[in-house]
Amino acid sequence: MDAVNPATGERLNVYDLDDDDAVERKLDRATSTFEDWREVPLRKREQLLVNAGEVLRENKQRYAELMTREMGKPITQAVAEVEKCAWACDHYAEYAHKYLSEEHHPSPPGTEVKTVHDPLGPVLAVMPWNYPFWQVIRFAAPYLTAGNVGLLKHASNVPGCALALEEVFAEAGYPDGAFQTLMVGSSNVDGILADDRVRAATLTGSGPAGRAVAETAGKHLKKTVLELGGSDPFIVLDDADLDAALETGVQARTLNGGQSCIAAKRFIVHTDVYDEYVDRLVAAFEGLTVGDPMSDETDVGPQADPGLMAELHDQVQASVDAGATLLTGGEPLDRTGAFYPPTVLTDVPSGCPADTEETFGPVATVYEVADAEEAIAVANDTRFGLGASLWTADRERGQRLARDISAGCVYINEMTKSDPRVPFGGIKDAGYGRELSEMGIKEFVNKKTVWVE
Ligand SMILES: O=CCCCC(=O)O
């Protein structure tokens, strides 16, 4: 596996792939470790998670630089990502025993009926490059604490991060085999998932990757959680606080180079405030600093890979060819590295790529709508259903409208974001299942009913 810096094109390192024997050994180790790990008292597992949070904090700068070098995330955002990982560790260290406590049910007199939460076994995690640490800690913190063990198949462009994550758990004192990185390509996923030793799988990634995992998991009757793409609406109503909706909107579209499933991708703006909002959005995009991701001053780094940037650019060009108006950006920057400028498209014809596909980069598509009802109709006119953000001065109105939005979450007067305390996941082509919070930790447990007569 090659790690290549997308800001410079420089090859950072070459990593050996695991051969079949190495994968076999890791699967065996996962199984044998699971038998012991599941017996470790929950309080002890929580303590190890506290340690993992400490390891992350102690190595924050090193891990952040590793992410920035491998996938181009601005360094300030990489540091924030490591901090968020440590927070997720703290959260589950504090709450896992509460989330996993026995549930008692109404039962006939003289009997006791309850649900207990047993771990399932080795969980395969197929994870993407865009949040190389966060996406992994998001599954590992809850699932390991529930007594499962983890097998990570990370994206092939972040191999250094994949190994550093293994280091986090080793240094925190987890048993060998509780968390292992598989250095394999995506063609190996099917066979590993089909293996009896793997009991469940979680994937964050593209729709095709999710469907492939779901198909194999279905064939072998394994539980999955899928967090796939999104084309999240960012709705600005006539009574919205425009300053806040603008500042947050810019961040929601350009954070992480716009490479996020929950980025605001379709801005749906009430006609009364449309002209002002669009003018200010364009000005704000043009004011962003695009450049060296190692600089604290940078807002938008390179796209993670030249091929991905080319795909994004194709989507923009095809949309313009179909009749969309390009207000700013729209051409890769003429410099070394995969730099794409913040881009704004309006008058987007129905059915063009910017309208129907996920744009994984700093490209905002803006729609003008006559009223809140039309805003909701446009918001729902997508095969995705991950998150949504809605801006209005009237919180009651916001909550009424939220009921009509087809998405896994709706944030009113806030950008869509993940938080360890809050369930995260989508509907429709955005996937199924929930990560984080109590719901997340309970996705990969056997909710076992115990009836005591
Ligand atoms: O691509 C998905 C990004 C999730 C980002 C987050 O959890 O904040």
Side-chain angles (χ1 to χ4, degrees):
M1 272 179 204
D2 276 7
V4 177
N5 185 335
T8 60
E10 169 206 5
R11 178 185 279 189
L12 299 164
N13 219 333
V14 180
Y15 296 82
D16 288 337
L17 288 170
D18 285 343
D19 61 17
D20 291 349
D21 287 347
V23 171
E24 267 300 301
R25 280 195 299 278
K26 288 184 180 180
L27 291 177
D28 271 347
R29 195 178 304 138
T31 312
S32 57
T33 303
F34 172 63
E35 292 310 325
D36 298 332
W37 179 241
R38 62 180 303 167
E39 302 301 336
V40 170
L42 180 52
R43 291 286 181 185
K44 169 77 178 160
R45 296 201 296 257
E46 288 174 339
Q47 182 52 49
L48 288 170
L49 198 55
V50 172
N51 299 354
E54 281 167 11
V55 174
L56 286 160
R57 288 194 180 94
E58 279 159 17
N59 294 282
K60 179 167 72 177
Q61 192 63 28
R62 180 164 66 90
Y63 292 153
E65 286 176 14
L66 182 57
M67 280 191 268
T68 297
R69 275 197 306 275
E70 289 195 335
M71 52 68 68
K73 180 189 300 281
I75 188 71
T76 50
Q77 297 175 26
V79 168
E81 180 170 337
V82 184
E83 285 167 351
K84 186 167 173 177
C85 290
W87 174 30
C89 292
D90 293 349
H91 175 77
Y92 280 108
E94 186 179 349
Y95 284 95
H97 59 275
K98 177 172 177 289
Y99 293 160
L100 296 174
S101 59
E102 296 178 346
E103 290 167 35
H104 290 263
H105 307 293
S107 60
T111 63
E112 184 188 353
V113 181
K114 60 190 178 184
T115 299
V116 298
H117 304 105
D118 290 348
L120 293 182
V123 177
L124 174 66
V126 182
M127 290 293 139
W129 48 263
N130 61 342
Y131 287 87
F133 269 61
W134 170 242
Q135 305 273 22
V136 172
I137 295 295
R138 179 157 84 183
F139 93 81
Y143 301 162
L144 266 54
T145 310
N148 299 299
V149 299
L151 290 160
L152 169 66
K153 188 281 178 233
H154 217 325
S156 53
N157 57 340
V158 288
C161 293
L163 292 171
L165 283 151
E166 202 174 49
E167 171 191 288
V168 169
F169 290 100
E171 287 199 3
Y174 282 71
D176 195 24
F179 180 97
Q180 300 178 85
T181 290
L182 302 171
M183 297 294 276
V184 294
S186 28
S187 59
N188 295 68
V189 168
D190 196 53
I192 294 168
L193 179 54
D195 191 291
D196 264 354
R197 288 166 289 188
V198 171
R199 302 312 315 149
T202 176
L203 175 140
T204 300
S206 69
R211 284 172 202 278
V213 160
E215 195 177 327
T216 305
K219 193 160 144 205
H220 297 275
L221 288 180
K222 293 178 185 178
K223 172 84 188 278
T224 50
V225 167
L226 300 180
E227 204 269 272
L228 309 176
S231 186
D232 286 4
F234 189 94
I235 302 168
V236 183
L237 296 182
D238 46 343
D239 62 349
D241 173 344
L242 272 205
D243 291 344
L246 183 79
E247 191 185 331
T248 307
V250 170
Q251 211 195 349
R253 179 59 285 208
T254 60
L255 204 65
N256 210 38
Q259 303 162 116
S260 172
C261 52
I262 47 167
K265 291 175 186 133
R266 295 176 300 131
F267 288 74
I268 301 166
V269 184
H270 192 284
T271 188
D272 289 356
V273 293
Y274 179 82
D275 288 342
E276 180 183 351
Y277 193 81
V278 171
D279 286 351
R280 291 177 66 186
L281 185 67
V282 169
F285 270 26
E286 289 176 350
L288 293 171
T289 304
V290 182
D292 178 8
M294 281 296 176
S295 161
D296 283 352
E297 307 307 315
T298 292
D299 299 306
V300 180
Q303 301 298 284
D305 170 282
L308 295 166
M309 180 177 74
E311 277 175 35
L312 178 71
H313 186 47
D314 285 349
Q315 290 174 306
V316 170
Q317 276 192 316
S319 303
V320 171
D321 290 348
T325 306
L326 176 67
L327 294 184
T328 188
E331 277 299 327
L333 298 187
D334 185 17
R335 53 175 288 181
T336 304
F339 289 94
Y340 204 80
T343 295
V344 177
L345 294 171
T346 57
D347 312 314
V348 174
S350 175
C352 75
D355 177 50
T356 58
E357 298 174 6
E358 177 172 34
T359 48
F360 219 62
V363 177
T365 303
V366 195
Y367 300 79
E368 181 174 3
V369 290
D371 52 32
E373 287 62 42
E374 190 185 356
I376 301 300
V378 174
N380 288 341
D381 186 18
T382 170
R383 61 194 167 91
F384 299 106
L386 190 50
S389 174
L390 185 145
W391 292 75
T392 170
D394 180 344
R395 296 166 59 142
E396 297 305 318
R397 180 189 190 201
Q399 289 173 75
R400 275 196 311 278
L401 292 168
R403 282 201 290 272
D404 295 330
I405 297 178
S406 305
C409 55
V410 180
Y411 283 71
I412 299 166
N413 299 326
E414 178 54 289
M415 63 189 270
T416 308
K417 58 186 182 182
S418 61
D419 177 316
R421 298 164 295 190
V422 178
F424 182 85
I427 58 168
K428 305 199 289 186
D429 281 10
Y432 53 75
R434 291 292 175 267
E435 295 190 276
L436 301 172
S437 75
E438 179 170 349
M439 290 186 194
I441 199 170
K442 284 185 168 158
E443 286 282 8
F444 290 132
V445 290
N446 172 17
K447 300 179 185 82
K448 186 161 74 188
T449 301
V450 179
W451 178 297
V452 188
E453 193 66 43

